[in-house]
Amino acid sequence: MTYNPMQTENPFVEILLAHCQALDAQDPLRGLRTHFSLPPEVIYLDGNSLGALPTTAAARVAEVVTQEWGQGLIRSWNSAKWFTLPQRMGDKIARLIGADPGEVVATDSTSINLYKVLSAALSMAAQDAPPRKQVLSERSNFPTDLYMAQALCQERGFELHLIEPEELATALTDQVAVLMLTHVNYRTGAMHNMAEVTAAAHKAGALALWDLAHSAGAVPVSLKAHKADFAIGCGYKYLNGGPGAPAFVWVNPKHTERFWQPLAGWWGHATPFEFTPDYRPAPGITRYLCGTQPILSMAALECGLDVFEAAESLGGMAALRAKSLALTDLFIALVEQRCSGHGLGLATPREHDRRGSQVCLTRQEGAYAIMQALIARGVIGDFRAGDGAIHKDILRFGFTPLYIGFEDVWHAVEHLRQVLDSGEWQLPAYTQKHAVT
Ligand SMILES: *Cc1c(COP(=O)(O)O)cnc(C)c1O
């Protein structure tokens, strides 16, 4: 299926609501929306931050609580297969990121998994002669990644070197031990070329560690084909696993058994139920587990992952990507047609192979209030503050092709137009900052 979001070849020809409705009518993926419970009055463009609720999740979690916990009690670790949930959910995630079964576990949080893999990567680097001392990342990487790296570098005697993306080629020197990047930038939606960047890192003698928080379930990823070394990612964004869902971790099988990871808890032990006093790591990715996992959250995550299984017969990630690009192309075109003259800029690259599944608009001032006014109208995106220098304030819109349609995009932009034309965003209520933006 190829989607044609533009009404004609001519970008000045107005894109009509009827055209968007026709795109929805022809969309082979439109039925996937029934797998989600969304409030009818909401256009949800924030699935990149917290995915929507799968329709099966409430009943499934209730079943786990009342049946598996309530009736099965401790027997459910075996009878309901609770104990192997990290590996079984890992196998479902592996299909979405170009890894093989048995190479991924769903566990802990993204931050904690980053600690484990970065620590393993630094141990590998420490064996080099002479050892390299730098971890290279981007200044605009998600802060928790930078904070975790900062702490680990301090502890292990490494230096964290931060650059802008265009400095990458020159910064990849023979001092770099690990290149730690987020594949799709959370602020701008810009996407790295994983194949090229990983090859460049390897050519410079560095390991490549990828954060897939905004990639897994959003864009096709080929970790093994692109020879990445380590990867982590998030369960509650595009995977729709629910607030605080378990994250995931992948290690290239050629590295997995070379090191213990530092959080060597009993779930990563080769024989946890022998209760021996000394640690012996489990073979394979299981050694990246630490302790007892949140089973209720795992149950919800499975409901999110099962929607991707339903999408597989419709073309899987390739089909979802085609629709996502059409949705984002349409959004950009509509904003340019209908909201010009309001000082909006585009922070997201236009080229398809350089962006993820979100579009970020910039504005010198008022971005926060404009987003609050949109949210009041039921168009939910979010706001990310700039740093006042290179990075501007951002209005962020995520497009999840599992449940967003073309007509939604048209209405979202129409609301944005009305908010800007009327000036309603200037109401004092919309400038009030909340704790979570
Ligand atoms: C969302 C996100 C995280 C979240 O980390 P948590 O440990 O789940 O809080 C980490 N890294 C990136 C790049 C993200 O986008």
Side-chain angles (χ1 to χ4, degrees), residues 131-153:
R132 295 159 173 245
K133 285 292 172 201
Q134 232 178 50
V135 173
L136 184 63
S137 193
E138 278 178 54
R139 196 168 290 115
S140 68
N141 198 344
F142 192 85
T144 202
D145 297 44
L146 300 181
Y147 303 159
M148 296 305 282
Q150 222 177 335
L152 250 175
C153 283

Side-chain angles (χ1 to χ4, degrees), residues 275-328:
F275 296 101
T276 55
D278 60 319
Y279 183 73
R280 205 159 34 83
I285 195 68
T286 295
R287 72 179 57 195
Y288 277 80
L289 297 178
C290 179
T292 307
Q293 293 302 301
I295 299 305
L296 302 182
S297 293
M298 284 280 183
L301 174 63
E302 181 158 29
C303 296
L305 294 173
D306 284 347
V307 181
F308 286 92
E309 270 173 32
E312 214 140 288
S313 62
L314 299 167
M317 280 312 304
L320 290 168
R321 174 64 169 163
K323 181 175 171 185
S324 147
L325 286 170
L327 291 169
T328 46

Side-chain angles (χ1 to χ4, degrees), residues 56-111:
T56 53
R60 176 64 190 139
V61 172
E63 184 185 23
V64 175
V65 170
T66 56
Q67 294 305 309
E68 297 182 7
W69 178 14
Q71 301 302 310
L73 293 161
I74 200 165
R75 294 169 290 194
S76 287
W77 285 107
N78 292 313
S79 59
K81 301 201 184 88
W82 286 353
F83 194 60
T84 53
L85 272 167
Q87 290 87 348
R88 289 188 288 119
M89 296 310 105
D91 285 350
K92 292 183 189 224
I93 294 167
R95 301 150 77 119
L96 303 175
I97 58 175
D100 285 326
E103 293 178 359
V104 177
V105 278
T107 185
D108 300 333
S109 67
T110 308
S111 305

Side-chain angles (χ1 to χ4, degrees), residues 15-86:
I15 299 168
L16 300 174
L17 175 59
H19 172 67
C20 299
Q21 289 166 335
L23 287 169
D24 281 331
Q26 296 157 16
D27 174 17
L29 302 182
R30 69 185 181 284
L32 292 170
R33 189 186 180 111
T34 60
H35 291 272
F36 294 92
S37 309
L38 281 156
E41 71 283 7
V42 160
I43 299 176
Y44 193 58
L45 303 180
D46 217 355
N48 53 319
S49 205
L50 175 65
L53 170 69
T55 43
T56 53
R60 176 64 190 139
V61 172
E63 184 185 23
V64 175
V65 170
T66 56
Q67 294 305 309
E68 297 182 7
W69 178 14
Q71 301 302 310
L73 293 161
I74 200 165
R75 294 169 290 194
S76 287
W77 285 107
N78 292 313
S79 59
K81 301 201 184 88
W82 286 353
F83 194 60
T84 53
L85 272 167

